[in-house]
Coordinates of all heavy atoms in Angstrom, one line a residue:
Chain A
D373 N -8.5 10.3 8.7 CA -8.1 9.5 9.7 C -7.0 10.2 10.6 O -5.9 10.4 9.8 CB -7.7 8.1 9.2 CG -7.3 7.2 10.3 OD1 -6.3 7.4 10.9 OD2 -7.8 6.3 10.4
E374 N -7.1 10.3 11.9 CA -6.1 11.0 12.5 C -4.8 10.3 12.6 O -3.6 10.9 12.6 CB -6.5 11.3 14.0 CG -7.5 12.4 14.2 CD -7.0 13.8 13.6 OE1 -5.8 14.1 13.9 OE2 -7.9 14.6 13.2
N375 N -4.8 9.1 12.6 CA -3.6 8.2 12.6 C -2.9 8.4 11.3 O -1.5 8.3 11.3 CB -3.9 6.7 12.9 CG -4.3 6.5 14.4 OD1 -3.8 7.1 15.2 ND2 -5.3 5.6 14.5
Q376 N -3.6 8.4 10.1 CA -2.8 8.5 9.0 C -2.3 9.9 8.8 O -1.3 10.0 8.4 CB -3.9 8.2 7.8 CG -4.4 6.8 7.7 CD -5.4 6.6 6.6 OE1 -6.1 7.5 6.1 NE2 -5.7 5.4 6.2
L377 N -3.1 10.9 9.3 CA -2.5 12.3 9.2 C -1.2 12.3 9.9 O -0.1 13.0 9.5 CB -3.5 13.2 9.9 CG -4.6 13.7 8.9 CD1 -5.6 14.7 9.8 CD2 -4.0 14.6 7.9
F378 N -1.1 11.7 11.2 CA 0.1 11.9 12.0 C 1.2 11.2 11.3 O 2.3 11.5 11.3 CB -0.2 11.2 13.4 CG 1.0 11.3 14.3 CD1 1.7 12.5 14.6 CD2 1.5 10.0 14.6 CE1 2.8 12.4 15.4 CE2 2.8 10.1 15.5 CZ 3.4 11.2 15.7
Y379 N 0.9 10.0 10.7 CA 1.9 9.3 10.1 C 2.5 10.1 9.0 O 3.8 10.0 8.8 CB 1.3 7.9 9.5 CG 2.2 7.0 8.9 CD1 2.8 5.9 9.9 CD2 2.9 6.9 7.8 CE1 3.7 5.0 9.5 CE2 3.8 5.9 7.3 CZ 4.1 5.0 8.2 OH 5.0 4.1 7.8
L380 N 1.8 10.7 8.2 CA 2.3 11.5 7.1 C 3.1 12.6 7.6 O 4.2 12.9 7.1 CB 1.2 11.9 6.2 CG 0.4 10.9 5.4 CD1 -0.6 11.4 4.6 CD2 1.5 10.2 4.4
K381 N 2.6 13.4 8.7 CA 3.3 14.5 9.3 C 4.6 14.1 9.8 O 5.7 14.6 9.8 CB 2.4 15.2 10.4 CG 1.3 15.9 9.6 CD 0.6 16.9 10.5 CE -0.3 16.1 11.5 NZ -1.1 17.1 12.4
S382 N 4.6 12.8 10.4 CA 5.9 12.3 11.0 C 6.9 12.1 10.0 O 8.2 11.9 10.2 CB 5.6 11.1 11.9 OG 5.4 9.9 11.0
R383 N 6.5 11.9 8.8 CA 7.5 11.8 7.7 C 7.9 13.1 7.0 O 8.5 13.0 6.0 CB 6.9 10.8 6.6 CG 6.6 9.5 7.1 CD 7.7 8.8 7.9 NE 7.4 7.4 8.3 CZ 7.6 7.1 9.5 NH1 7.8 7.8 10.6 NH2 7.5 5.8 9.8
G384 N 7.2 14.2 7.6 CA 7.7 15.6 7.1 C 6.8 16.3 6.2 O 7.0 17.3 5.7
L385 N 5.6 15.7 6.1 CA 4.5 16.4 5.2 C 3.8 17.4 6.1 O 3.6 17.1 7.2 CB 3.6 15.4 4.5 CG 4.0 14.6 3.3 CD1 5.0 13.6 3.6 CD2 2.9 14.1 2.5
S386 N 3.5 18.5 5.6 CA 2.8 19.6 6.4 C 1.4 19.1 6.5 O 0.8 18.2 5.8 CB 2.8 20.9 5.7 OG 2.1 20.7 4.5
E387 N 0.7 19.7 7.5 CA -0.8 19.4 7.8 C -1.6 19.5 6.5 O -2.4 18.6 6.1 CB -1.2 20.4 8.8 CG -2.7 20.2 9.1 CD -3.1 19.4 10.2 OE1 -2.2 19.0 11.0 OE2 -4.3 18.8 10.3
T388 N -1.4 20.7 5.7 CA -2.1 20.9 4.4 C -1.8 19.7 3.6 O -2.7 19.2 2.8 CB -1.8 22.2 3.9 OG1 -1.8 23.2 4.9 CG2 -2.6 22.6 2.8
E389 N -0.6 19.5 3.3 CA -0.2 18.4 2.3 C -0.8 17.1 2.7 O -1.2 16.3 1.8 CB 1.3 18.3 2.4 CG 2.1 19.0 1.2 CD 3.7 18.7 1.5 OE1 4.1 18.8 2.6 OE2 4.2 18.3 0.4
Q392 N -4.4 17.1 2.0 CA -4.6 16.9 0.4 C -4.4 15.5 0.0 O -5.2 15.0 -0.7 CB -3.5 17.8 -0.2 CG -3.7 19.1 -0.4 CD -2.5 19.8 -1.3 OE1 -1.7 19.0 -1.7 NE2 -2.7 21.1 -1.4
L393 N -3.3 14.9 0.4 CA -3.0 13.6 0.0 C -4.1 12.5 0.3 O -4.4 11.8 -0.4 CB -1.5 13.3 0.6 CG -0.8 12.3 -0.1 CD1 -0.6 12.5 -1.7 CD2 0.7 12.2 0.6
L394 N -4.5 12.6 1.6 CA -5.4 11.6 2.1 C -6.8 11.9 1.3 O -7.5 10.9 1.0 CB -5.6 11.8 3.6 CG -4.5 11.3 4.4 CD1 -4.8 11.5 5.8 CD2 -4.1 9.9 4.0
F396 N -7.2 13.2 -1.6 CA -7.0 12.7 -3.0 C -7.1 11.2 -3.0 O -7.8 10.7 -3.9 CB -5.5 13.2 -3.5 CG -5.2 12.7 -4.8 CD1 -5.7 13.2 -6.0 CD2 -4.4 11.6 -5.0 CE1 -5.3 12.8 -7.2 CE2 -4.0 10.9 -6.2 CZ -4.5 11.6 -7.3
A397 N -6.4 10.6 -2.1 CA -6.3 9.0 -2.1 C -7.7 8.4 -1.9 O -8.0 7.5 -2.7 CB -5.3 8.6 -1.0
F398 N -8.4 9.0 -1.1 CA -9.8 8.6 -0.8 C -10.6 8.5 -2.2 O -11.3 7.6 -2.4 CB -10.5 9.4 0.1 CG -11.9 9.1 0.5 CD1 -12.1 8.1 1.3 CD2 -12.9 9.8 0.0 CE1 -13.5 7.6 1.7 CE2 -14.2 9.4 0.1 CZ -14.5 8.4 1.0
D400 N -9.5 9.0 -5.3 CA -8.8 8.3 -6.4 C -9.0 7.0 -6.5 O -8.9 6.3 -7.5 CB -7.3 8.8 -6.3 CG -6.7 8.7 -7.6 OD1 -7.1 9.2 -8.6 OD2 -5.6 7.9 -7.8
E401 N -9.4 6.2 -5.4 CA -9.7 4.8 -5.4 C -10.8 4.5 -6.4 O -10.9 3.3 -7.0 CB -9.9 4.2 -4.1 CG -8.7 3.9 -3.3 CD -9.0 3.0 -2.1 OE1 -9.0 1.8 -2.2 OE2 -9.3 3.7 -1.0
D428 N -2.2 22.5 -6.1 CA -1.0 22.0 -6.6 C -0.8 20.5 -6.6 O -0.5 19.9 -5.7 CB 0.2 22.5 -5.6 CG 1.4 22.2 -6.0 OD1 1.7 22.0 -7.2 OD2 2.4 22.2 -5.2
L429 N -1.3 20.1 -7.8 CA -1.3 18.6 -7.9 C -0.3 17.9 -8.8 O -0.2 16.8 -9.0 CB -2.6 18.1 -8.4 CG -3.8 18.0 -7.4 CD1 -5.1 17.9 -8.0 CD2 -3.6 16.9 -6.4
G431 N 3.1 17.2 -8.8 CA 3.8 16.2 -8.3 C 2.8 14.9 -8.0 O 3.4 13.8 -8.4
L432 N 1.8 15.1 -7.5 CA 0.9 14.0 -7.2 C 0.4 13.2 -8.2 O 0.4 12.0 -8.4 CB -0.3 14.6 -6.4 CG -1.2 13.6 -5.7 CD1 -0.4 12.8 -4.7 CD2 -2.3 14.4 -4.8
L433 N 0.2 14.0 -9.4 CA -0.5 13.4 -10.5 C 0.6 12.9 -11.5 O 0.3 12.1 -12.4 CB -1.5 14.3 -11.2 CG -2.6 14.6 -10.5 CD1 -3.6 15.7 -11.2 CD2 -3.5 13.5 -10.1
Chain B
N62 N 6.1 8.5 21.5 CA 5.1 9.3 20.8 C 5.1 10.8 21.2 O 4.9 11.7 20.4 CB 3.7 8.8 21.0 CG 3.3 7.6 20.2 OD1 3.5 7.8 18.9 ND2 3.2 6.4 20.8
A65 N 7.8 12.2 19.2 CA 7.6 12.4 17.9 C 6.4 13.5 17.7 O 6.3 14.1 16.6 CB 7.1 11.2 17.2
G66 N 5.7 13.8 18.8 CA 4.7 14.9 18.7 C 3.3 14.4 18.4 O 2.4 15.3 17.8
R67 N 2.9 13.2 18.7 CA 1.6 12.9 18.4 C 0.5 13.5 19.3 O 0.7 13.9 20.5 CB 1.4 11.3 18.7 CG 0.1 10.7 18.1 CD -0.2 9.3 18.7 NE 0.5 8.2 17.9 CZ 0.0 7.6 16.8 NH1 -1.2 7.9 16.5 NH2 0.7 6.7 16.3
D68 N -0.6 13.9 18.6 CA -1.7 14.5 19.4 C -2.3 13.6 20.4 O -2.2 12.3 20.3 CB -2.9 14.8 18.5 CG -2.6 16.0 17.6 OD1 -1.7 16.8 18.0 OD2 -3.4 16.3 16.6
P89 N 4.7 18.2 14.6 CA 5.3 16.9 14.2 C 6.1 17.1 12.9 O 7.2 16.5 13.0 CB 4.1 16.0 14.0 CG 2.9 16.6 14.7 CD 3.2 18.1 14.8
E90 N 5.6 17.7 11.9 CA 6.4 17.7 10.8 C 7.6 18.7 10.9 O 8.7 18.3 10.3 CB 5.4 18.3 9.5 CG 4.9 19.8 9.7 CD 3.6 19.8 10.4 OE1 3.3 18.8 11.3 OE2 2.7 20.6 10.1
A93 N 10.2 16.3 12.3 CA 10.6 15.6 11.1 C 11.7 16.2 10.4 O 12.9 15.7 10.0 CB 9.5 15.0 10.3
W94 N 11.4 17.5 10.0 CA 12.5 18.4 9.3 C 13.7 18.6 10.0 O 14.8 18.5 9.3 CB 11.8 19.7 9.0 CG 10.6 19.6 8.2 CD1 10.2 18.7 7.3 CD2 9.5 20.7 8.1 NE1 9.0 18.9 6.9 CE2 8.5 20.2 7.2 CE3 9.4 21.9 8.7 CZ2 7.4 21.0 7.0 CZ3 8.2 22.8 8.4 CH2 7.3 22.2 7.5
V97 N 14.0 14.2 13.4 CA 13.4 13.2 14.4 C 12.5 12.2 13.5 O 11.9 12.6 12.6 CB 12.5 13.8 15.5 CG1 11.8 12.7 16.3 CG2 13.2 14.8 16.3
F98 N 12.8 11.0 13.8 CA 12.0 10.0 13.1 C 11.5 8.9 14.1 O 12.2 8.4 14.9 CB 12.9 9.1 12.2 CG 12.2 8.1 11.3 CD1 11.5 8.1 10.3 CD2 12.3 6.8 11.9 CE1 11.0 7.2 9.5 CE2 11.8 5.7 11.2 CZ 11.1 6.0 10.0
L99 N 10.2 8.6 13.8 CA 9.6 7.5 14.7 C 9.2 6.3 13.8 O 8.5 6.5 12.8 CB 8.3 8.1 15.3 CG 7.4 7.0 16.0 CD1 8.1 6.4 17.2 CD2 6.0 7.7 16.5
F101 N 7.0 3.3 13.6 CA 5.8 3.2 14.5 C 5.7 1.6 14.9 O 6.1 0.7 14.3 CB 4.5 3.3 13.5 CG 4.2 4.8 13.5 CD1 5.0 5.7 12.8 CD2 3.1 5.4 13.9 CE1 4.8 7.0 12.7 CE2 2.7 6.7 13.6 CZ 3.7 7.5 13.1
P104 N 2.4 0.5 12.2 CA 2.4 1.3 10.9 C 1.0 1.3 10.4 O 0.5 0.2 10.3 CB 3.4 0.7 10.1 CG 4.3 -0.1 11.0 CD 3.4 -0.7 12.2
V105 N 0.5 2.5 10.0 CA -1.0 2.6 9.5 C -0.8 2.3 8.0 O 0.1 2.5 7.3 CB -1.5 3.8 9.7 CG1 -1.9 4.1 11.2 CG2 -0.7 5.1 9.3
E106 N -2.0 1.7 7.5 CA -2.0 1.5 6.0 C -2.8 2.7 5.5 O -3.7 3.3 6.0 CB -2.9 0.4 5.8 CG -2.4 -1.1 6.3 CD -2.9 -2.3 5.6 OE1 -3.7 -2.1 4.7 OE2 -2.8 -3.3 6.1
I107 N -2.1 3.2 4.4 CA -2.8 4.3 3.8 C -3.0 4.0 2.3 O -2.2 4.3 1.3 CB -2.0 5.6 4.0 CG1 -1.3 5.8 5.4 CG2 -2.6 6.9 3.4 CD1 -0.5 7.1 5.6
P108 N -4.0 3.4 2.0 CA -4.4 3.0 0.7 C -4.4 4.2 -0.2 O -5.0 5.2 0.0 CB -5.8 2.3 0.7 CG -6.0 2.0 2.2 CD -5.2 3.0 2.9
G109 N -3.8 4.0 -1.4 CA -4.0 5.1 -2.4 C -2.9 6.2 -2.3 O -2.7 6.9 -3.2
V110 N -2.2 6.1 -1.2 CA -1.1 7.1 -1.1 C 0.2 6.3 -1.3 O 0.5 5.5 -0.6 CB -0.9 7.7 0.4 CG1 0.4 8.7 0.3 CG2 -2.2 8.7 0.6
Y114 N 5.7 8.4 -3.3 CA 5.4 9.9 -3.3 C 5.5 10.4 -1.9 O 5.9 11.6 -1.7 CB 3.8 10.0 -3.9 CG 3.4 11.4 -3.9 CD1 3.7 12.2 -4.9 CD2 2.8 11.9 -2.7 CE1 3.4 13.5 -5.0 CE2 2.5 13.3 -2.7 CZ 2.8 14.0 -3.8 OH 2.4 15.4 -3.6
M115 N 5.0 9.7 -1.0 CA 5.1 10.2 0.4 C 6.5 10.5 0.9 O 6.8 11.5 1.4 CB 4.4 9.1 1.4 CG 4.5 9.6 2.8 SD 4.2 8.1 3.9 CE 5.6 7.2 3.8
A118 N 8.0 13.6 -0.9 CA 7.4 14.9 -0.3 C 8.1 15.1 1.1 O 8.5 16.1 1.3 CB 6.0 14.7 -0.1
G119 N 8.3 14.0 1.8 CA 9.0 14.1 3.1 C 10.4 14.5 3.1 O 11.0 15.4 3.6
A122 N 10.7 18.2 1.7 CA 10.3 19.1 2.7 C 11.5 19.3 3.7 O 11.8 20.5 4.0 CB 9.0 18.7 3.5
V159 N 1.1 3.1 0.8 CA 1.8 3.1 2.2 C 1.3 1.9 3.0 O 0.1 1.9 3.5 CB 1.8 4.3 2.9 CG1 2.5 4.2 4.2 CG2 2.4 5.5 2.2
N160 N 2.1 0.8 3.2 CA 1.8 -0.2 4.0 C 0.5 -1.1 3.5 O 0.0 -2.0 4.3 CB 1.6 0.1 5.4 CG 3.0 0.7 6.1 OD1 3.9 0.0 5.8 ND2 2.9 1.7 6.7
E172 N 9.3 0.4 7.6 CA 9.6 1.6 8.5 C 11.0 1.9 8.5 O 11.5 2.9 8.5 CB 9.1 1.1 10.1 CG 7.7 1.1 10.3 CD 6.9 2.5 10.1 OE1 7.1 3.3 10.9 OE2 6.2 2.6 9.1
Q175 N 12.1 3.5 5.3 CA 11.9 5.0 5.5 C 13.0 5.8 6.3 O 13.2 6.8 6.0 CB 10.4 5.2 6.1 CG 9.3 4.6 5.1 CD 8.0 4.9 5.7 OE1 7.7 5.9 6.3 NE2 7.1 4.0 5.3
L179 N 15.0 8.8 5.0 CA 14.9 10.2 5.6 C 16.0 10.6 6.5 O 16.3 11.7 6.9 CB 13.6 10.2 6.6 CG 12.2 10.2 5.8 CD1 11.1 9.8 6.7 CD2 11.9 11.4 5.0

Side-chain angles (χ1 to χ4, degrees):
Chain A
D373 183 296
E374 287 300 326
N375 289 323
Q376 294 180 338
L377 275 174
F378 176 64
Y379 193 89
L380 293 175
K381 288 193 282 183
S382 79
R383 296 319 184 230
L385 280 76
S386 68
E387 174 89 24
T388 308
E389 262 181 307
Q392 273 185 5
L393 201 50
L394 292 178
F396 175 83
F398 177 80
D400 202 47
E401 275 198 85
D428 181 23
L429 278 167
L432 193 54
L433 298 176
Chain B
N62 280 301
R67 188 192 279 266
D68 281 346
E90 60 269 34
W94 301 337
V97 176
F98 175 86
L99 172 66
F101 284 63
V105 289
E106 295 198 18
I107 315 183
V110 173
Y114 179 85
M115 176 190 73
V159 176
N160 295 316
E172 293 295 290
Q175 294 182 32
L179 292 166

